[in-house]
Amino acid sequence: MKLVTIIGARPQFIKAEPFSRMFRKENEEVLVHTGQHYDANMSDVFFEELGLPKPDYHLEVGSGSHGLQTGRMLEKIEEIILKELPDGLLVYGDTNSTLAGALAASKLHIPVFHVEAGLRSYNKLMPEEQNRIVTDHLSDLLLCPTQTAVDNLEKEGITAGVFNTGDIMYDAVQRNIEISKNRYSDGAWLDELRDEGGTIPSLKEKEYYLATIHRAENTDDDTKLREIFSAFEKMDKPVLIPLHPRTRKRIDELNIQLNNVTIIKPAGYLLMLYLTANAFMVVTDSGGLQKEAFFLKTPCTTLRDQTEWVETLENGWNSLSPIDVKTILRTVSRELLCVQHPQPRLFGDGNAAEHICQILLKGGE
Ligand code: UD1
């Protein structure tokens, strides 16, 4: 089988590795990097650490408005499909790269395979929600990470070609957590967090919050972004933040004061796993990190009104917090009863990549 696979943003590099490794054993994969994420610490580091194969095409679309970014990708992906004539095109998740890939292939009558299909926040203002809805409705095989995702698709009348494969990010965490621990234990993680002046932040294992903020709904709303950093200032433990470039820019523009926080550049995957496993709690608006926290048994507070990963809310492993200082502080200081409960297996058996390969090779039968 010959596939064209589209990737372009951080979480897609993580999801792509387990599948690529499995699929390439006996099949041909043409890997296309759209260039949506282009900074070395947003892109290259993931290829190096995970051993993801070098892309066959790099589209270098870079940043821009949604229309511009997606349009540039669409044009270039169409050319690649016409040249490569694959048996199908595979996309991951919900980014503009996902949408462009699905649309380009669908118009050329090339089957579309969507990994991480069926997720919904039911907030159509989110660019990710728009991307998911369109991609799912254009897809021929819908590879869902959870039963909730399968049920969501059924509500929209999509039942053909739908499979619950388990979550491919769970494969990735299982494969990499030991490598991460070997690399970063015994204080090596602190060395990695040294600032430009050589100072190591005074953080102790399980005594810091690990926070990430990058969603447009938070970064592009001045009030919300100020409330978030005000809450960080008042938290009972220091807050470590690997900072997304978009958020960095907004903080500077709004001249937000940074107290009780340690800012570091975006972290690679292995360091991020270590920081997550050893945090007292994760505080985030990311989708992937909510799950990684759950897999690594670290409680999480999600700075959003909805989550696509409703399973993580069970027993309070994850808790949603609307964006105001009081609610955030109340949510992070909730009683953590979750740690007394065994976690149910809601994200599959850690072999999602293998299940996906088998489904594709059987043509969804
Ligand atoms: C994108 C996805 C989001 C995903 C996230 C993972 C969409 C609509 N959003 O959001 O779902 O959770 O990736 O990180 O596809 N920038 C840089 N260097 C980079 C990349 C981005 O400086 O390497 C800056 C640029 O100013 C850019 C901004 O970040 O305009 C936003 O980047 P973009 O890729 O459009 O969206 P993300 O916020 O990263």
Side-chain angles (χ1 to χ4, degrees):
M1 188 177 197
K2 179 175 178 179
L3 265 190
V4 166
T5 297
I6 308 292
I7 53 176
R10 273 194 301 188
Q12 291 163 338
F13 310 140
I14 298 166
K15 290 167 200 164
E17 194 283 326
F19 173 79
S20 281
R21 185 167 23 87
M22 192 72 65
F23 184 77
R24 285 174 185 234
K25 284 183 187 163
E26 291 178 15
N27 303 280
E28 188 187 349
E29 183 184 45
V30 178
L31 194 61
V32 180
H33 187 331
T34 62
Q36 177 169 354
H37 285 175
Y38 44 87
D39 286 352
N41 52 28
M42 299 282 284
S43 174
D44 301 357
V45 62
F46 293 89
F47 285 81
E48 287 153 19
E49 285 188 345
L50 295 166
L52 187 61
K54 210 169 152 317
D56 300 282
Y57 295 89
H58 200 301
L59 309 185
E60 295 179 356
V61 297
S63 299
S65 67
H66 287 271
L68 186 91
Q69 194 180 49
T70 313
R72 280 185 181 150
M73 293 176 193
L74 192 57
E75 189 179 349
K76 295 183 179 186
I77 295 171
E78 184 174 66
E79 277 171 26
I80 294 170
I81 296 173
L82 289 171
K83 185 166 162 228
E84 298 287 347
L85 298 173
D87 301 306
L89 177 136
L90 185 114
V91 289
Y92 292 97
D94 56 19
T95 70
N96 291 342
S97 302
T98 315
L99 174 68
L103 202 50
S106 172
K107 296 266 183 188
L108 294 170
H109 301 175
I110 298 292
V112 178
F113 310 139
H114 185 200
V115 176
E116 215 176 68
L119 297 183
R120 295 291 181 270
S121 65
Y122 297 104
N123 173 4
K124 271 199 199 163
L125 295 176
M126 289 174 70
E128 293 84 1
E129 185 79 351
Q130 300 157 354
N131 294 341
R132 287 179 201 126
I133 293 172
V134 177
T135 302
D136 283 341
H137 283 260
L138 294 178
S139 291
D140 296 274
L141 293 178
L142 298 103
L143 296 319
C144 298
T146 59
Q147 186 56 41
T148 309
V150 173
D151 298 343
N152 289 343
L153 291 174
E154 196 180 345
K155 284 183 215 152
E156 292 174 25
I158 306 176
T159 51
V162 176
F163 297 86
N164 182 352
T165 60
D167 192 331
I168 201 154
M169 283 190 99
Y170 187 38
D171 296 25
V173 168
Q174 286 198 322
R175 183 177 164 83
N176 289 293
I177 185 63
E178 286 314 313
I179 305 173
S180 157
K181 285 187 174 163
N182 286 337
R183 184 182 292 192
Y184 290 115
S185 56
D186 295 330
W189 65 290
L190 283 170
D191 226 32
E192 200 67 27
L193 309 183
R194 239 176 237 280
D195 67 18
E196 282 163 1
T199 313
I200 292 180
S202 56
L203 297 174
K204 295 198 184 84
E205 300 212 345
K206 292 290 171 192
E207 288 183 31
Y208 64 91
Y209 293 97
L210 175 67
T212 73
I213 309 293
H214 76 277
R215 292 279 181 177
E217 65 202 83
N218 287 331
T219 57
D220 297 358
D221 182 321
D222 299 4
T223 314
K224 282 188 176 178
L225 199 59
R226 286 185 201 282
E227 289 283 308
I228 290 171
F229 280 90
S230 237
F232 288 167
E233 184 175 345
K234 298 185 179 71
M235 283 187 189
D236 59 332
K237 296 178 184 58
V239 183
L240 176 65
I241 314 181
L243 201 58
H244 187 288
R246 173 217 285 281
T247 320
R248 168 87 267 170
K249 196 163 155 255
R250 296 291 298 141
I251 287 174
D252 294 345
E253 281 165 6
L254 297 174
N255 198 14
I256 290 178
Q257 295 307 304
L258 299 171
N259 296 313
N260 194 37
V261 299
T262 299
I263 302 279
I264 55 168
K265 62 180 194 296
Y269 183 57
L270 294 175
L271 178 60
M272 201 59 192
L273 285 183
Y274 194 84
L275 297 177
T276 305
N278 286 291
F280 167 72
M281 180 182 280
V282 163
V283 182
T284 189
D285 59 8
S286 149
L289 189 55
Q290 291 172 49
K291 275 183 303 168
E292 283 162 346
F294 182 84
F295 299 150
L296 297 168
K297 300 192 171 58
T298 299
C300 180
T301 293
T302 296
L303 300 178
R304 288 179 48 199
D305 296 328
Q306 318 89 10
T307 178
E308 299 78 21
W309 303 104
V310 288
E311 295 79 5
T312 60
L313 300 174
E314 246 175 69
N315 297 327
W317 280 103
N318 187 10
S319 191
L320 296 174
S321 176
I323 312 291
D324 66 79
V325 176
K326 270 194 193 151
T327 316
I328 296 173
L329 291 175
R330 202 176 52 235
T331 314
V332 298
S333 53
R334 69 189 184 272
E335 200 181 346
L336 296 173
L337 298 171
C338 52
V339 291
Q340 299 160 14
H341 292 280
Q343 283 187 339
R345 264 203 176 188
L346 298 166
F347 292 91
D349 60 7
N351 293 311
E354 198 178 325
H355 300 315
I356 293 168
C357 275
Q358 283 168 0
I359 293 164
L360 298 195
L361 294 172
K362 286 187 195 154
E365 276 162 29

PDB file of all heavy atoms in Angstrom, residues 9-11 36-39 42 63 66 69 94-96 127-128 131 214-215 244-246, ligand 1:
ATOM      1  N   ALA A   9       2.205  20.015  12.720  1.00  0.00           N
ATOM      2  CA  ALA A   9       2.267  20.675  14.025  1.00  0.00           C
ATOM      3  C   ALA A   9       2.746  19.678  15.078  1.00  0.00           C
ATOM      4  O   ALA A   9       2.586  18.467  14.915  1.00  0.00           O
ATOM      5  CB  ALA A   9       0.903  21.238  14.392  1.00  0.00           C
ATOM      6  N   ARG A  10       3.298  20.223  16.156  1.00  0.00           N
ATOM      7  CA  ARG A  10       3.932  19.412  17.207  1.00  0.00           C
ATOM      8  C   ARG A  10       3.237  18.085  17.527  1.00  0.00           C
ATOM      9  O   ARG A  10       3.865  17.037  17.473  1.00  0.00           O
ATOM     10  CB  ARG A  10       4.017  20.228  18.495  1.00  0.00           C
ATOM     11  CG  ARG A  10       5.222  21.067  18.592  1.00  0.00           C
ATOM     12  CD  ARG A  10       5.414  21.579  19.991  1.00  0.00           C
ATOM     13  NE  ARG A  10       4.271  22.372  20.457  1.00  0.00           N
ATOM     14  CZ  ARG A  10       4.268  23.054  21.602  1.00  0.00           C
ATOM     15  NH1 ARG A  10       5.324  23.022  22.388  1.00  0.00           N
ATOM     16  NH2 ARG A  10       3.235  23.767  21.960  1.00  0.00           N
ATOM     17  N   PRO A  11       1.943  18.122  17.908  1.00  0.00           N
ATOM     18  CA  PRO A  11       1.335  16.861  18.330  1.00  0.00           C
ATOM     19  C   PRO A  11       1.278  15.824  17.208  1.00  0.00           C
ATOM     20  O   PRO A  11       1.223  14.611  17.474  1.00  0.00           O
ATOM     21  CB  PRO A  11      -0.079  17.261  18.772  1.00  0.00           C
ATOM     22  CG  PRO A  11      -0.302  18.629  18.241  1.00  0.00           C
ATOM     23  CD  PRO A  11       1.026  19.250  18.064  1.00  0.00           C
ATOM     24  N   GLN A  36       3.734  24.051   9.089  1.00  0.00           N
ATOM     25  CA  GLN A  36       2.914  24.900   9.984  1.00  0.00           C
ATOM     26  C   GLN A  36       3.731  25.280  11.220  1.00  0.00           C
ATOM     27  O   GLN A  36       3.743  26.419  11.636  1.00  0.00           O
ATOM     28  CB  GLN A  36       1.627  24.158  10.376  1.00  0.00           C
ATOM     29  CG  GLN A  36       0.778  24.951  11.355  1.00  0.00           C
ATOM     30  CD  GLN A  36      -0.627  24.390  11.564  1.00  0.00           C
ATOM     31  OE1 GLN A  36      -1.044  23.443  10.904  1.00  0.00           O
ATOM     32  NE2 GLN A  36      -1.359  24.986  12.491  1.00  0.00           N
ATOM     33  N   HIS A  37       4.405  24.301  11.821  1.00  0.00           N
ATOM     34  CA  HIS A  37       5.371  24.594  12.886  1.00  0.00           C
ATOM     35  C   HIS A  37       6.767  24.489  12.288  1.00  0.00           C
ATOM     36  O   HIS A  37       7.097  23.500  11.644  1.00  0.00           O
ATOM     37  CB  HIS A  37       5.194  23.637  14.063  1.00  0.00           C
ATOM     38  CG  HIS A  37       3.978  23.970  14.887  1.00  0.00           C
ATOM     39  ND1 HIS A  37       3.550  23.197  15.923  1.00  0.00           N
ATOM     40  CD2 HIS A  37       3.116  25.025  14.805  1.00  0.00           C
ATOM     41  CE1 HIS A  37       2.455  23.755  16.459  1.00  0.00           C
ATOM     42  NE2 HIS A  37       2.167  24.849  15.791  1.00  0.00           N
ATOM     43  N   TYR A  38       7.572  25.529  12.502  1.00  0.00           N
ATOM     44  CA  TYR A  38       8.842  25.620  11.783  1.00  0.00           C
ATOM     45  C   TYR A  38      10.029  25.921  12.693  1.00  0.00           C
ATOM     46  O   TYR A  38      11.160  25.686  12.335  1.00  0.00           O
ATOM     47  CB  TYR A  38       8.741  26.709  10.691  1.00  0.00           C
ATOM     48  CG  TYR A  38       8.071  27.964  11.202  1.00  0.00           C
ATOM     49  CD1 TYR A  38       8.792  28.961  11.832  1.00  0.00           C
ATOM     50  CD2 TYR A  38       6.689  28.118  11.089  1.00  0.00           C
ATOM     51  CE1 TYR A  38       8.170  30.088  12.336  1.00  0.00           C
ATOM     52  CE2 TYR A  38       6.057  29.249  11.592  1.00  0.00           C
ATOM     53  CZ  TYR A  38       6.799  30.226  12.214  1.00  0.00           C
ATOM     54  OH  TYR A  38       6.170  31.338  12.725  1.00  0.00           O
ATOM     55  N   ASP A  39       9.782  26.458  13.917  1.00  0.00           N
ATOM     56  CA  ASP A  39      10.915  26.704  14.818  1.00  0.00           C
ATOM     57  C   ASP A  39      11.567  25.372  15.173  1.00  0.00           C
ATOM     58  O   ASP A  39      10.869  24.354  15.285  1.00  0.00           O
ATOM     59  CB  ASP A  39      10.441  27.355  16.124  1.00  0.00           C
ATOM     60  CG  ASP A  39      10.064  28.829  15.935  1.00  0.00           C
ATOM     61  OD1 ASP A  39      10.319  29.361  14.844  1.00  0.00           O
ATOM     62  OD2 ASP A  39       9.516  29.413  16.881  1.00  0.00           O
ATOM     63  N   MET A  42       9.948  23.623  17.939  1.00  0.00           N
ATOM     64  CA  MET A  42       8.549  23.242  17.697  1.00  0.00           C
ATOM     65  C   MET A  42       8.478  22.100  16.687  1.00  0.00           C
ATOM     66  O   MET A  42       7.412  21.518  16.484  1.00  0.00           O
ATOM     67  CB  MET A  42       7.765  24.431  17.129  1.00  0.00           C
ATOM     68  CG  MET A  42       7.696  25.636  18.023  1.00  0.00           C
ATOM     69  SD  MET A  42       6.487  25.445  19.332  1.00  0.00           S
ATOM     70  CE  MET A  42       4.954  25.704  18.440  1.00  0.00           C
ATOM     71  N   SER A  63       3.634  30.638   9.076  1.00  0.00           N
ATOM     72  CA  SER A  63       2.466  31.225   9.749  1.00  0.00           C
ATOM     73  C   SER A  63       1.672  32.097   8.795  1.00  0.00           C
ATOM     74  O   SER A  63       2.149  32.496   7.739  1.00  0.00           O
ATOM     75  CB  SER A  63       2.938  32.077  10.922  1.00  0.00           C
ATOM     76  OG  SER A  63       3.627  31.272  11.840  1.00  0.00           O
ATOM     77  N   HIS A  66      -5.697  31.877   8.965  1.00  0.00           N
ATOM     78  CA  HIS A  66      -6.152  30.496   8.731  1.00  0.00           C
ATOM     79  C   HIS A  66      -6.357  30.218   7.243  1.00  0.00           C
ATOM     80  O   HIS A  66      -5.956  29.182   6.728  1.00  0.00           O
ATOM     81  CB  HIS A  66      -7.446  30.233   9.508  1.00  0.00           C
ATOM     82  CG  HIS A  66      -7.218  30.100  10.972  1.00  0.00           C
ATOM     83  ND1 HIS A  66      -6.934  28.909  11.579  1.00  0.00           N
ATOM     84  CD2 HIS A  66      -7.189  31.034  11.949  1.00  0.00           C
ATOM     85  CE1 HIS A  66      -6.759  29.109  12.870  1.00  0.00           C
ATOM     86  NE2 HIS A  66      -6.899  30.394  13.119  1.00  0.00           N
ATOM     87  N   GLN A  69      -2.920  30.166   5.381  1.00  0.00           N
ATOM     88  CA  GLN A  69      -2.121  28.984   5.739  1.00  0.00           C
ATOM     89  C   GLN A  69      -2.732  27.726   5.105  1.00  0.00           C
ATOM     90  O   GLN A  69      -2.038  26.934   4.463  1.00  0.00           O
ATOM     91  CB  GLN A  69      -2.103  28.862   7.269  1.00  0.00           C
ATOM     92  CG  GLN A  69      -1.076  27.907   7.810  1.00  0.00           C
ATOM     93  CD  GLN A  69      -1.113  27.849   9.337  1.00  0.00           C
ATOM     94  OE1 GLN A  69      -2.173  27.692   9.931  1.00  0.00           O
ATOM     95  NE2 GLN A  69       0.046  27.946   9.964  1.00  0.00           N
ATOM     96  N   ASP A  94      -6.506  17.684  14.354  1.00  0.00           N
ATOM     97  CA  ASP A  94      -7.482  18.749  14.070  1.00  0.00           C
ATOM     98  C   ASP A  94      -6.859  20.082  13.678  1.00  0.00           C
ATOM     99  O   ASP A  94      -7.436  21.132  13.911  1.00  0.00           O
ATOM    100  CB  ASP A  94      -8.362  18.945  15.303  1.00  0.00           C
ATOM    101  CG  ASP A  94      -7.534  19.237  16.553  1.00  0.00           C
ATOM    102  OD1 ASP A  94      -6.366  19.629  16.403  1.00  0.00           O
ATOM    103  OD2 ASP A  94      -8.061  19.074  17.666  1.00  0.00           O
ATOM    104  N   THR A  95      -5.662  20.052  13.130  1.00  0.00           N
ATOM    105  CA  THR A  95      -5.020  21.334  12.812  1.00  0.00           C
ATOM    106  C   THR A  95      -5.357  21.760  11.376  1.00  0.00           C
ATOM    107  O   THR A  95      -5.991  21.008  10.620  1.00  0.00           O
ATOM    108  CB  THR A  95      -3.488  21.239  12.927  1.00  0.00           C
ATOM    109  OG1 THR A  95      -3.028  20.431  11.848  1.00  0.00           O
ATOM    110  CG2 THR A  95      -3.060  20.599  14.241  1.00  0.00           C
ATOM    111  N   ASN A  96      -4.877  22.941  11.008  1.00  0.00           N
ATOM    112  CA  ASN A  96      -5.087  23.390   9.629  1.00  0.00           C
ATOM    113  C   ASN A  96      -4.419  22.439   8.640  1.00  0.00           C
ATOM    114  O   ASN A  96      -4.899  22.263   7.521  1.00  0.00           O
ATOM    115  CB  ASN A  96      -4.548  24.809   9.467  1.00  0.00           C
ATOM    116  CG  ASN A  96      -5.389  25.820  10.241  1.00  0.00           C
ATOM    117  OD1 ASN A  96      -6.532  25.532  10.613  1.00  0.00           O
ATOM    118  ND2 ASN A  96      -4.832  26.999  10.497  1.00  0.00           N
ATOM    119  N   PRO A 127     -11.066  26.862  15.990  1.00  0.00           N
ATOM    120  CA  PRO A 127     -10.610  26.407  14.666  1.00  0.00           C
ATOM    121  C   PRO A 127     -10.452  24.887  14.621  1.00  0.00           C
ATOM    122  O   PRO A 127     -10.735  24.257  13.603  1.00  0.00           O
ATOM    123  CB  PRO A 127      -9.263  27.105  14.478  1.00  0.00           C
ATOM    124  CG  PRO A 127      -8.873  27.642  15.820  1.00  0.00           C
ATOM    125  CD  PRO A 127     -10.136  27.823  16.606  1.00  0.00           C
ATOM    126  N   GLU A 128     -10.052  24.308  15.744  1.00  0.00           N
ATOM    127  CA  GLU A 128      -9.857  22.842  15.776  1.00  0.00           C
ATOM    128  C   GLU A 128     -11.177  22.110  15.558  1.00  0.00           C
ATOM    129  O   GLU A 128     -11.217  21.079  14.896  1.00  0.00           O
ATOM    130  CB  GLU A 128      -9.248  22.406  17.113  1.00  0.00           C
ATOM    131  CG  GLU A 128      -7.818  22.874  17.356  1.00  0.00           C
ATOM    132  CD  GLU A 128      -7.722  24.271  17.919  1.00  0.00           C
ATOM    133  OE1 GLU A 128      -8.783  24.912  18.148  1.00  0.00           O
ATOM    134  OE2 GLU A 128      -6.588  24.753  18.125  1.00  0.00           O
ATOM    135  N   ASN A 131     -12.062  22.227  11.944  1.00  0.00           N
ATOM    136  CA  ASN A 131     -11.208  21.306  11.194  1.00  0.00           C
ATOM    137  C   ASN A 131     -11.641  19.856  11.373  1.00  0.00           C
ATOM    138  O   ASN A 131     -11.646  19.071  10.429  1.00  0.00           O
ATOM    139  CB  ASN A 131      -9.746  21.467  11.629  1.00  0.00           C
ATOM    140  CG  ASN A 131      -9.174  22.822  11.253  1.00  0.00           C
ATOM    141  OD1 ASN A 131      -9.703  23.515  10.390  1.00  0.00           O
ATOM    142  ND2 ASN A 131      -8.089  23.216  11.910  1.00  0.00           N
ATOM    143  N   HIS A 214      -1.620  27.903  24.956  1.00  0.00           N
ATOM    144  CA  HIS A 214      -1.394  28.315  23.565  1.00  0.00           C
ATOM    145  C   HIS A 214      -2.664  28.457  22.739  1.00  0.00           C
ATOM    146  O   HIS A 214      -2.624  28.973  21.632  1.00  0.00           O
ATOM    147  CB  HIS A 214      -0.450  27.335  22.855  1.00  0.00           C
ATOM    148  CG  HIS A 214      -1.122  26.057  22.469  1.00  0.00           C
ATOM    149  ND1 HIS A 214      -1.273  25.025  23.346  1.00  0.00           N
ATOM    150  CD2 HIS A 214      -1.699  25.666  21.305  1.00  0.00           C
ATOM    151  CE1 HIS A 214      -1.906  24.035  22.749  1.00  0.00           C
ATOM    152  NE2 HIS A 214      -2.188  24.396  21.516  1.00  0.00           N
ATOM    153  N   ARG A 215      -3.827  28.006  23.263  1.00  0.00           N
ATOM    154  CA  ARG A 215      -5.055  28.055  22.463  1.00  0.00           C
ATOM    155  C   ARG A 215      -5.462  29.488  22.160  1.00  0.00           C
ATOM    156  O   ARG A 215      -5.458  30.347  23.057  1.00  0.00           O
ATOM    157  CB  ARG A 215      -6.209  27.416  23.231  1.00  0.00           C
ATOM    158  CG  ARG A 215      -6.058  25.952  23.411  1.00  0.00           C
ATOM    159  CD  ARG A 215      -6.478  25.219  22.183  1.00  0.00           C
ATOM    160  NE  ARG A 215      -6.320  23.805  22.464  1.00  0.00           N
ATOM    161  CZ  ARG A 215      -6.645  22.842  21.637  1.00  0.00           C
ATOM    162  NH1 ARG A 215      -7.138  23.130  20.462  1.00  0.00           N
ATOM    163  NH2 ARG A 215      -6.478  21.606  21.971  1.00  0.00           N
ATOM    164  N   HIS A 244       4.854  28.636  24.418  1.00  0.00           N
ATOM    165  CA  HIS A 244       4.587  28.640  22.974  1.00  0.00           C
ATOM    166  C   HIS A 244       4.870  30.043  22.426  1.00  0.00           C
ATOM    167  O   HIS A 244       4.559  31.044  23.076  1.00  0.00           O
ATOM    168  CB  HIS A 244       3.111  28.271  22.791  1.00  0.00           C
ATOM    169  CG  HIS A 244       2.689  28.053  21.366  1.00  0.00           C
ATOM    170  ND1 HIS A 244       2.554  29.072  20.461  1.00  0.00           N
ATOM    171  CD2 HIS A 244       2.350  26.924  20.693  1.00  0.00           C
ATOM    172  CE1 HIS A 244       2.153  28.579  19.299  1.00  0.00           C
ATOM    173  NE2 HIS A 244       2.020  27.271  19.415  1.00  0.00           N
ATOM    174  N   PRO A 245       5.449  30.143  21.212  1.00  0.00           N
ATOM    175  CA  PRO A 245       5.820  31.472  20.681  1.00  0.00           C
ATOM    176  C   PRO A 245       4.640  32.431  20.584  1.00  0.00           C
ATOM    177  O   PRO A 245       4.795  33.638  20.798  1.00  0.00           O
ATOM    178  CB  PRO A 245       6.401  31.163  19.303  1.00  0.00           C
ATOM    179  CG  PRO A 245       6.280  29.702  19.071  1.00  0.00           C
ATOM    180  CD  PRO A 245       5.909  29.049  20.341  1.00  0.00           C
ATOM    181  N   ARG A 246       3.470  31.918  20.278  1.00  0.00           N
ATOM    182  CA  ARG A 246       2.290  32.790  20.181  1.00  0.00           C
ATOM    183  C   ARG A 246       2.009  33.460  21.539  1.00  0.00           C
ATOM    184  O   ARG A 246       1.758  34.661  21.617  1.00  0.00           O
ATOM    185  CB  ARG A 246       1.082  31.952  19.761  1.00  0.00           C
ATOM    186  CG  ARG A 246      -0.234  32.715  19.792  1.00  0.00           C
ATOM    187  CD  ARG A 246      -1.364  31.809  20.258  1.00  0.00           C
ATOM    188  NE  ARG A 246      -1.821  30.852  19.263  1.00  0.00           N
ATOM    189  CZ  ARG A 246      -2.642  31.151  18.261  1.00  0.00           C
ATOM    190  NH1 ARG A 246      -3.101  32.355  18.115  1.00  0.00           N
ATOM    191  NH2 ARG A 246      -3.011  30.224  17.405  1.00  0.00           N
TER     192      ARG A 246
HETATM  193  C1  UD1 B   1      -1.716  24.636  16.204  1.00  0.00           C
HETATM  194  C2  UD1 B   1      -3.102  23.990  16.083  1.00  0.00           C
HETATM  195  C3  UD1 B   1      -3.576  23.550  17.451  1.00  0.00           C
HETATM  196  C4  UD1 B   1      -2.552  22.647  18.123  1.00  0.00           C
HETATM  197  C5  UD1 B   1      -1.200  23.361  18.158  1.00  0.00           C
HETATM  198  C6  UD1 B   1      -0.119  22.499  18.780  1.00  0.00           C
HETATM  199  C7  UD1 B   1      -4.494  24.922  14.259  1.00  0.00           C
HETATM  200  C8  UD1 B   1      -5.657  25.757  13.940  1.00  0.00           C
HETATM  201  N1  UD1 B   1      -4.085  24.933  15.543  1.00  0.00           N
HETATM  202  O1  UD1 B   1      -1.876  25.803  17.004  1.00  0.00           O
HETATM  203  O2  UD1 B   1      -4.785  22.828  17.312  1.00  0.00           O
HETATM  204  O3  UD1 B   1      -2.976  22.374  19.447  1.00  0.00           O
HETATM  205  O4  UD1 B   1      -0.821  23.716  16.826  1.00  0.00           O
HETATM  206  O5  UD1 B   1       0.976  23.272  19.204  1.00  0.00           O
HETATM  207  O6  UD1 B   1      -3.960  24.270  13.390  1.00  0.00           O
HETATM  208  N2  UD1 B   1       4.691  30.106  15.721  1.00  0.00           N
HETATM  209  C9  UD1 B   1       6.040  30.288  15.761  1.00  0.00           C
HETATM  210  N3  UD1 B   1       6.843  29.240  15.430  1.00  0.00           N
HETATM  211  C10 UD1 B   1       6.348  28.026  15.090  1.00  0.00           C
HETATM  212  C11 UD1 B   1       4.962  27.867  15.024  1.00  0.00           C
HETATM  213  C12 UD1 B   1       4.145  28.907  15.357  1.00  0.00           C
HETATM  214  O7  UD1 B   1       6.529  31.369  16.066  1.00  0.00           O
HETATM  215  O8  UD1 B   1       7.148  27.101  14.815  1.00  0.00           O
HETATM  216  C13 UD1 B   1       3.807  31.232  16.098  1.00  0.00           C
HETATM  217  C14 UD1 B   1       3.450  32.130  14.970  1.00  0.00           C
HETATM  218  O9  UD1 B   1       3.398  33.425  15.443  1.00  0.00           O
HETATM  219  C15 UD1 B   1       2.055  31.672  14.590  1.00  0.00           C
HETATM  220  C16 UD1 B   1       1.480  31.249  15.936  1.00  0.00           C
HETATM  221  O10 UD1 B   1       2.607  30.726  16.649  1.00  0.00           O
HETATM  222  O11 UD1 B   1       1.325  32.660  13.969  1.00  0.00           O
HETATM  223  C17 UD1 B   1       0.415  30.208  15.842  1.00  0.00           C
HETATM  224  O12 UD1 B   1       0.880  29.037  15.169  1.00  0.00           O
HETATM  225  P1  UD1 B   1      -0.131  28.037  14.411  1.00  0.00           P
HETATM  226  O13 UD1 B   1       0.582  26.860  13.936  1.00  0.00           O
HETATM  227  O14 UD1 B   1      -0.954  28.799  13.446  1.00  0.00           O
HETATM  228  O15 UD1 B   1      -1.122  27.591  15.539  1.00  0.00           O
HETATM  229  P2  UD1 B   1      -0.817  27.002  16.968  1.00  0.00           P
HETATM  230  O16 UD1 B   1      -1.270  28.022  17.935  1.00  0.00           O
HETATM  231  O17 UD1 B   1       0.555  26.453  17.150  1.00  0.00           O
END
